[in-house]
Amino acid sequence: MKSGSDPGLLLAEDRGAVRILTMNRPDKRNALNTALTRALLEGLRAADAAPSVACVVLTGAGRGFCAGADLAEFKDLTPDKQRLVNERAELTMQLHLVFSKMAKPVVTAINGAAMGGGAGLAIAGDLAVMAESAHIGYPEIRHGIVAAIVMANLVRQVGRKHAFELVSLGEPVDAAKALRLGMVNRVVPDGDLLAESLVYATKLSSAGSEAMRATKQLFHEVADLPLEEALKRGREANQRMRAFAKSMRSLGKP
């Protein structure tokens, strides 16, 4: 089946409880124009809302994962196109935010180059699997622009020193270094990428939906809280899950 506001731009395939979303602009290395950005946001939200889906795998068609923003869309900028710039900036922000708002986990399968906004997508998932030949980087500064929206997540994932090196030098890193930096969870041979990503996704799918929802919510809440407040949120989450388990037992459910 297909998904997204333009059904050709984002392909969706369900394998059991796992939905595979594939960015489908291979001739553009899956560069993010407004239509693909919107399709991704809608596709992720639809997967999160689908009762039959427990986990999502996000990857790219062809040789690249995602080349980042498609700047050709804004060539010869006019006042009308300035509105498009503002619209896409909002869509981009919502796209990078949606991963943390979803109740269901997302595994990114980085099949090739992930640059700029594509690098942001690659590390935005809950887990990331990277092909040995793939590279990831933030080259914006080399083009006189700023790795703006993707910077917030990058700093949270790899720490200040590594993040600043990535955005200030603009040099891509290979899969081995991405693994050392903590940008990805696993590096695999190119031909094994989808299979290994599905292994992760299937394991994640086996968790109870309420437990996974609570885990993701708490995980993202405590990441930016002081220790005492984070511990209090953890206590509250435990109380909610105990109450949920008790209600399930009263209904005769395991």
Side-chain angles (χ1 to χ4, degrees), residues 60-99:
R63 299 177 60 185
F65 177 77
C66 178
D70 187 349
L71 300 179
E73 188 174 42
F74 303 125
K75 188 179 179 181
D76 302 323
L77 197 63
T78 66
D80 285 343
K81 287 187 177 181
Q82 182 60 51
R83 288 195 290 272
L84 287 176
V85 172
N86 296 336
E87 176 188 355
R88 195 166 88 185
E90 177 64 23
L91 280 171
T92 299
M93 187 189 77
Q94 293 302 325
L95 176 59
H96 288 276
L97 183 62
V98 73
F99 293 88

Side-chain angles (χ1 to χ4, degrees), residues 186-200:
R186 185 175 297 179
V187 173
V188 300
D190 291 19
D192 296 339
L193 178 68
L194 185 57
E196 290 296 326
S197 300
L198 287 169
V199 168
Y200 257 143

Side-chain angles (χ1 to χ4, degrees), residues 8-75:
L9 291 176
L10 185 68
L11 307 180
E13 175 190 355
D14 288 350
R15 297 198 188 180
V18 179
R19 177 161 295 177
I20 304 171
L21 295 178
T22 304
M23 293 174 281
N24 191 37
R25 297 186 77 204
D27 57 323
K28 301 293 186 181
R29 293 182 297 154
N30 302 312
L32 294 164
N33 60 5
T34 300
L36 178 55
T37 303
R38 182 180 291 109
L40 272 170
L41 183 58
E42 292 176 0
L44 288 165
R45 286 173 172 168
D48 201 36
S52 61
V53 175
C55 185
V56 176
V57 171
L58 175 63
T59 192
R63 299 177 60 185
F65 177 77
C66 178
D70 187 349
L71 300 179
E73 188 174 42
F74 303 125
K75 188 179 179 181

Side-chain angles (χ1 to χ4, degrees), residues 174-185:
D174 61 18
K177 185 168 183 179
L179 182 64
R180 291 197 301 272
L181 292 178
M183 301 175 82
V184 300
N185 298 88

